[in-house]
């Protein structure tokens, strides 16, 4: 019996449609990659420094959890776009110290936060997927934050050089909320924001990051007659006691965010007056990965 020509035609159409669909998927991926490259290239030709390339990568590879209280990072996806990440990192390395010093303070701080976060991702990718914590990338003699592998502002620097030196140690910024913006690739760390920090919205972005971190009950919560908060407040306590918005104590700073912490006004007043005990929760150093080892 001869095969029905109509059936053969239907099979041929199905095969053609399947190939067309596969081709469209590949085309979409190529367009996404092209747009990422274009964003980075355009940023290098802008009048000022642009974080468009980093912003595009974050929007593509950061997974938002619990309304932004936490995020996970698709390091496998970042690895696929490693060339684009490298292009952005190279653009940060191309900034001279003299040019940097001429920028406004918001421009400087946004640049340093983004550089810190991008170079942290690069450090994780140097070992991914064979890494379950950023601490795996250190040694008995040297923590991963002390490794000098970052060409930035005319020197080869470490992550600590950026955070502890350029941001905190410079005395230029006096901005405690930066601790909720720099990301150490760990579950215990404040979220890696799914967009780049930019000068024109920096204050609003920092405030949003602070509110969301403090509203996360897995890391900051009232319990019994005490307030249990992230160890970040123990390690950097002094930064929260330097008079920012009038807060000269850790309790005073936290009381500014009583609504995010879920505290009634009376309890917040006791906290600000030093009449409420503050405990520090253990820090979760596991990798903040969305998939693969450590996810």
């Amino acid at each position: 019996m001869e095969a029905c020509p109509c059936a053969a035609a239907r099979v041929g159409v199905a095969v053609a449609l399947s190939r067309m669909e596969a081709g469209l998927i590949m085309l979409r991926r190529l367009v996404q990659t092209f747009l990422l490259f274009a964003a980075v290239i355009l940023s290098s030709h802008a009048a000022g420094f642009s974080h468009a390339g980093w912003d595009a990568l974050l929007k593509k590879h950061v997974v938002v959890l619990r309304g932004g209280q936490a995020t996970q990072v698709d390091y496998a996806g970042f690895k696929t776009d490693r060339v684009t990440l490298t292009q952005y990192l190279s653009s940060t390395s191309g900034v001279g110290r003299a040019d940097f010093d001429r920028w406004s303070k918001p421009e400087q701080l946004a640049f340093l936060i983004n550089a810190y976060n991008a170079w942290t991702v690069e450090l994780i990718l140097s070992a991914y997927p064979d890494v379950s914590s950023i601490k795996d990338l250190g040694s008995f003699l040297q923590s991963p934050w002390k490794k000098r592998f970052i060409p930035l502002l005319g020197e080869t620097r470490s992550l600590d050089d950026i955070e502890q030196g350029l941001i905190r140690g410079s005395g230029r910024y006096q901005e405690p909320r930066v601790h909720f913006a720099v990301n150490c690739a760990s579950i215990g760390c404040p979220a890696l924001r799914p967009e780049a920090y930019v000068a024109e919205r920096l204050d609003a972005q920092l405030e949003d990051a602070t509110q969301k971190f403090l509203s996360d009950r897995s890391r900051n919560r009232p319990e019994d007659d005490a307030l249990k908060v992230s160890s970040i407040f123990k390690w950097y306590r002094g930064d929260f006691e330097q008079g920012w918005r009038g807060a000269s104590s850790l309790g005073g700073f936290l009381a500014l965010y009583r609504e995010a912490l879920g505290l009634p006004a009376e309890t917040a007043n006791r906290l600000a007056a030093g009449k409420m005990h503050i405990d520090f929760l253990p820090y979760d150093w596991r990798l903040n990965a969305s998939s693969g080892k450590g996810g």
Side-chain angles (χ1 to χ4, degrees), residues 222-235:
E223 194 171 299
D224 299 325
D225 197 35
L227 182 63
K228 297 192 174 183
V229 296
S230 167
S231 286
I232 287 172
F233 294 104
K234 175 175 64 176
W235 300 329

Side-chain angles (χ1 to χ4, degrees), residues 25-252:
I25 291 172
M26 182 174 291
L27 179 61
R28 185 163 59 246
R29 290 175 178 170
L30 288 172
V31 169
Q32 288 177 333
T33 300
F34 171 78
L35 290 174
L36 285 172
F37 271 114
V40 173
I41 291 170
L42 286 173
S43 73
S44 66
H45 293 287
F49 191 89
S50 171
H51 300 285
W54 176 234
D55 185 75
L57 287 167
L58 290 169
K59 284 180 168 63
K60 186 176 179 182
H61 299 305
V62 174
V63 181
V64 176
L65 305 176
R66 302 193 298 278
Q69 290 179 347
T71 56
Q72 292 180 339
V73 180
D74 178 10
Y75 289 106
F78 261 112
K79 200 160 190 174
T80 300
D81 284 326
R82 190 78 172 274
V83 172
T84 308
L85 175 61
T86 299
Q87 182 72 34
Y88 173 74
L89 295 174
S90 296
S91 71
T92 67
S93 298
V95 175
R97 187 59 191 253
D99 289 333
F100 175 84
D101 287 338
R102 282 193 289 267
W103 295 348
S104 68
K105 287 183 180 179
E107 288 174 316
Q108 293 175 4
L109 190 53
F111 175 85
L112 293 173
I113 293 170
N114 290 329
Y116 183 97
N117 290 341
W119 282 105
T120 297
V121 170
E122 173 65 16
L123 179 62
I124 296 298
L125 294 183
S126 69
Y128 189 84
D130 298 319
V131 56
S132 58
S133 168
I134 190 172
K135 286 191 165 186
D136 296 342
L137 304 179
S139 66
F140 179 76
L141 297 175
Q142 184 183 62
S143 82
W145 295 280
K146 298 291 185 184
K147 286 186 175 182
R148 295 186 180 277
F149 69 103
I150 303 168
L152 193 70
L153 301 180
E155 298 181 23
T156 301
R157 303 179 187 269
S158 66
L159 290 170
D160 259 4
D161 288 335
I162 299 175
E163 182 182 11
Q164 313 303 345
L166 294 171
I167 296 177
R168 296 179 65 234
S170 69
R172 289 185 179 187
Y173 312 111
Q174 300 296 313
E175 177 53 84
R177 296 174 300 174
V178 74
H179 293 295
F180 313 115
V182 293
N183 182 269
C184 63
S186 304
I187 292 174
C189 194
L192 177 62
R193 194 171 183 86
E195 65 175 0
Y197 286 89
V198 291
E200 57 269 24
R201 292 189 292 115
L202 183 61
D203 184 71
Q205 289 177 312
L206 291 175
E207 187 66 13
D208 182 65
T210 304
Q211 294 274 0
K212 285 177 177 173
F213 181 70
L214 289 174
S215 67
D216 184 356
R217 295 295 168 263
S218 70
R219 295 179 288 189
N220 304 281
R221 58 182 179 269
E223 194 171 299
D224 299 325
D225 197 35
L227 182 63
K228 297 192 174 183
V229 296
S230 167
S231 286
I232 287 172
F233 294 104
K234 175 175 64 176
W235 300 329
Y236 300 108
R237 185 168 189 151
D239 290 3
F240 301 102
E241 299 181 331
Q242 295 182 354
W244 187 82
R245 290 187 182 172
S248 58
S249 68
L250 177 58

